[in-house]
Amino acid sequence: MFGPIGMPELIVIMVIALIIFGPRKLPELGRSLGRSLNEFKRASNELKHTLDEEIRVDEQRAAEQRAAEAQPRTTSTSTSTVEEPGIPRA
């Protein structure tokens, strides 16, 4: 449930916290810790969402650029004549 921390270790931690902070202060500390963890989770989710959005936009721009480069380009041809050596132009 809590990863590498088992139930006996969790009970020991709670007993030590109860001894150190007392029964009146412990619920307040728990609420504060819960709010802090919730805010951290919200901020990390927002950062992940922002990064995913930026990656999506960057990939879209790259796809549009590849599509633009793949389109055949029309080049205008010059109507100038090329003189061959030795043949005078009239």
Side-chain angles (χ1 to χ4, degrees), residues 32 54 67:
S32 177
E54 287 297 320

Side-chain angles (χ1 to χ4, degrees), residues 71-84:
Q71 289 179 350
R73 296 186 177 150
T74 58
T75 58
S76 61
T77 58
S78 175
T79 57
S80 64
T81 58
V82 178
E83 291 185 27
E84 293 184 24

Side-chain angles (χ1 to χ4, degrees), residues 34-77:
R35 288 181 189 137
S36 298
L37 289 175
N38 191 19
E39 182 65 29
F40 178 76
K41 184 178 177 182
R42 188 178 311 131
S44 64
N45 285 339
E46 183 178 328
L47 177 64
K48 182 181 180 215
H49 176 71
T50 302
L51 289 175
D52 288 343
E53 182 68 19
E54 287 297 320
I55 289 171
R56 185 190 65 77
V57 168
D58 190 40
E59 288 174 350
Q60 185 178 11
R61 285 182 188 152
E64 289 173 356
Q65 187 178 18
R66 284 192 303 268
E69 290 173 355
Q71 289 179 350
R73 296 186 177 150
T74 58
T75 58
S76 61
T77 58

